[in-house]
Amino acid sequence: DGGITQSPKYLFRKEGQNVTLSCEQNLNHDAMYWYRQDPGQGLRLIYYSQIVNDFQKGDIAEGYSVSREKKESFPLTVTSAQKNPTAFYLCASSIGFRVTAVGEKLFFGSGTQLSVL
Amino acid sequence: AQTVTQSQPEMSVQEAETVTLSCTYDTSESDYYLFWYKQPPSRQMILVIRQEAYKQQNATENRFSVNFQKAAKSFSLKISDSQLGDAAMYFCAYRSYKETSGSRLTFGEGTQLTVNP
């Protein structure tokens, strides 16, 4: 079945440590996104990628980094510079970034809960 | 920048009754898309319904319908014949029609819906 796989489901970070969240899709989608979800704040965009080897900052990129070396993969690294990393992280993809067709929509993964030890 | 506001952090409804969730947004654009997403306890994001701003007719998907008031920048979700499985967090989201914005979504804070048997 096609879809988006996020791993791990739960992740713990120690002080000063970098951690990487995995996001893999087999939908052959060009565009991928990372959102952060905090209680009472909805989802906020961290980074997005329109195509392989390209990515742009979203609304809350500070303390995060990404790479897009393969079409299927868009890992997110939470660096030690992110002082408040505890949140639920959702990865999403869409057919194409510049597609504005009615039928085009976001597909979401099942998320990773990151907590600080 | 666009903003989305959901003024009801929590709502409850009796099973088989009807409930309306509110959403307002702020934008200077004339063309855009609006969405309602459902996030059950599994935390998987599920698209419930979408509306194109250029369409005057309100979108309907089975028991879910919207009341789209473009001039008032209001986009409410009505759930008819509520079922226990409708219990979830509901997010309103905005997407620009501009190609440069792609499928980036701006989300509201969410409304937690409880369905009472």
Side-chain angles (χ1 to χ4, degrees), chain A residues 86-99:
Chain A
T86 297
F88 186 64
Y89 292 86
L90 279 161
C91 179
S93 71
S94 62
I95 295 172
F97 189 78
R98 294 183 180 276
V99 173

Side-chain angles (χ1 to χ4, degrees), chain B residues 24-41:
Chain B
T24 58
Y25 57 94
D26 187 27
T27 183
S28 59
E29 299 174 338
S30 58
D31 290 323
Y32 46 87
Y33 297 98
L34 295 166
F35 303 83
W36 278 99
Y37 277 87
K38 168 185 177 181
Q39 188 180 43

Side-chain angles (χ1 to χ4, degrees), chain A residues 13 15-16 36 62-64 78-86 116:
Chain A
R13 194 191 88 167
E15 197 74 33
R36 169 177 171 146
E62 186 175 351
Y64 300 97
V78 183
T79 73
S80 57
Q82 173 50 244
K83 298 306 179 187
N84 185 24
T86 297
V116 177

Side-chain angles (χ1 to χ4, degrees), chain A residues 36-84:
Chain A
R36 169 177 171 146
Q37 183 177 11
D38 294 279
Q41 293 193 42
L43 280 70
R44 293 179 291 170
L45 183 65
I46 305 172
Y47 267 98
Y48 62 97
S49 169
Q50 301 181 45
I51 202 165
V52 176
N53 294 321
D54 172 80
F55 51 83
Q56 283 86 38
K57 294 181 179 179
D59 301 318
I60 55 166
E62 186 175 351
Y64 300 97
S65 66
V66 294
S67 63
R68 187 85 187 277
E69 297 175 1
K70 297 187 300 181
K71 187 175 186 177
E72 303 79 18
S73 179
F74 190 42
L76 173 74
T77 296
V78 183
T79 73
S80 57
Q82 173 50 244
K83 298 306 179 187
N84 185 24

Side-chain angles (χ1 to χ4, degrees), chain B:
Chain B
Q2 297 83 21
T3 59
V4 178
T5 302
Q6 293 178 249
S7 59
Q8 306 155 316
E10 298 177 349
M11 291 282 286
S12 64
V13 63
Q14 290 296 125
E15 196 174 4
E17 297 294 309
T18 296
V19 64
T20 299
L21 308 184
S22 301
C23 173
T24 58
Y25 57 94
D26 187 27
T27 183
S28 59
E29 299 174 338
S30 58
D31 290 323
Y32 46 87
Y33 297 98
L34 295 166
F35 303 83
W36 278 99
Y37 277 87
K38 168 185 177 181
Q39 188 180 43
S42 67
R43 307 191 82 171
Q44 180 75 43
M45 293 290 283
I46 302 167
L47 178 63
V48 174
I49 198 165
R50 59 186 154 214
Q51 173 82 40
E52 298 95 312
Y54 59 85
K55 287 189 176 180
Q56 293 186 340
Q57 186 175 6
N58 289 324
T60 300
E61 289 286 344
N62 300 314
R63 297 182 295 106
F64 299 87
S65 62
V66 298
N67 183 4
F68 173 50
Q69 301 289 328
K70 191 172 184 179
K73 297 180 181 176
S74 170
F75 183 60
S76 60
L77 174 69
K78 185 172 82 171
I79 306 174
S80 303
D81 186 26
S82 296
Q83 301 175 359
L84 294 177
D86 294 333
M89 179 73 82
Y90 286 81
F91 291 100
C92 179
Y94 172 102
R95 194 189 102 189
S96 172
Y97 193 77
K98 293 179 182 177
E99 284 197 354
T100 52
S101 295
S103 292
R104 296 181 54 165
L105 295 181
T106 300
F107 287 86
E109 306 90 339
T111 297
Q112 182 68 50
L113 178 65
T114 300
V115 181
N116 300 309

